[in-house]
Amino acid sequence: MVKRKFSSRSSKENTQLVDSVLHNFDDKECQQVRHDLLKWYQENKRDLPWRKYAQHPDLNIRAYSVWVSEVMLQQTQVATVIDYYNKWMKKWPTLQDLSEATLEEVNEMWSGLGYYSRGRRLFEGASKVVNELNGEMPKDADSLLKQLPGVGRYTAGAISSIAYNQQTGVVDGNVIRVLCRCRMIGAGSNNQVVMDTLWKLANTLVDPVQPGDFNQGLMELGATICTPKSPDCSQCPLKTNCKSYQRVQAEKLKSSERLIDSTIKNDDIVDIECLTDNCVLCLPDTEVYDSSLGVMNYPRKGKKKQAREESTLVCIICKKTENEDAFVITQRPEKGLLAGLWEFPSQTFDKDNTGDADSSTLLSNHGIKVTSELTKGSCGEVVHIFSHIHQTYVVEFITVNQSDVYFENQSKYKWVTKQQFYEAAVSTAMKKVFKQYESSMNGNKKDGKHTKLKSKTDNNQKSIQEFFKPKSKK
């Protein structure tokens, strides 16, 4: 064992895989990891619906069911996915069933799950399998990767190992964490050398007899034991082969020895370290190992791109009828953010140009003419965080009679009741907007503020002006 020697990184990034004893598994370790992980998985695996489908005798249904689960689980927690998955598989139990659906139906089913392009790609993939591949799913990872839209390296590996029992590894967020801790890989996974190394490790480790169970076990371990913030190392089946855990134990031992012998100096402490100079997999020289974090020193997160700020004006048009109120919604473009979903008439605006944030201008841009208003005003703001956008919705409302609204293009809009709105393919953000509207209306009625407006300005324009009014410094 050797003391740590820090050396500066080369300015030119190393593009070769690192050949390091510390960062790789030898044959004996591979055998031990496979044995321990499979044993733990069989004893501790969660009862999840997609694992039952993965045992289906029909190979196409088996692969399809794994595909659906893996796509739904991308960026989404297991607890959230379960209900969506059960409803999806009940409605479309086969590829053929899904290919006969409409994109509108798919969007409605996906509503609230987020990252809506995932559902569209599943639908497009099923249609391609049925119409171009004679209804037969591709039978290996390379073919899955090449032939199915939206299927990346991870999803292809998951389908081929779990459904087809092929010896191929997988690398997702959970696997990254487990492997980085096991091999003390501290560099961020946004580094291509790191990712290539992790795929190499995953493909080396995967069990040749039970690749599907092994891969699911590795992901399960990361989800339940080797978690980001509170790992339970005492219950981990891989702790004897985890270099991060070994380092923590070594430091604890040295700390206890120092209490007994005060002559031991920090420089005398022997650590488990990498012998490779300028290793791109180790903790960067700019980041210090924090003993209080233990195994959580690995991996370090790469810098996340800051979400851009965006503001959108939303106008909720409510039509009063004898039976039930109705609301105008329109469909978003087929490409881009929230493609194909329905929403209230909206438009983004520049905070530096308050003239853009006007409901009358918004309606004119949408080709909507309102001849008479019963009430009009502001419902406040709703903030919704997308993966790359910090969105602020400024919510306005107009209440009209049945014959007071005209559309230049009627086919682009439709009236829906509250129930129909929630059943339609609308985003979580729009549901939050509607709840804000309802809360505002209930508050107005309760406080006696829900009054008739005589002009198109008044409260509406005042609310916009207040939104942009500079806050006084205290």
Side-chain angles (χ1 to χ4, degrees), residues 46 78 174 177-178 217-228:
R46 291 171 292 179
V78 168
N174 287 316
R177 188 165 54 257
V178 172
L218 206 55
M219 292 185 282
E220 187 89 336
L221 186 66
T224 61
I225 299 294
C226 194
T227 55

Side-chain angles (χ1 to χ4, degrees), residues 23 52 55 85 106 151 182 185 190 193 238 358 402 468:
H23 301 309
K52 296 176 182 177
Q55 305 302 317
Y85 183 83
V106 170
V151 170
C182 278
I185 298 175
N190 56 342
V193 177
L238 305 186
D358 173 73
Q402 188 163 358
F468 290 104

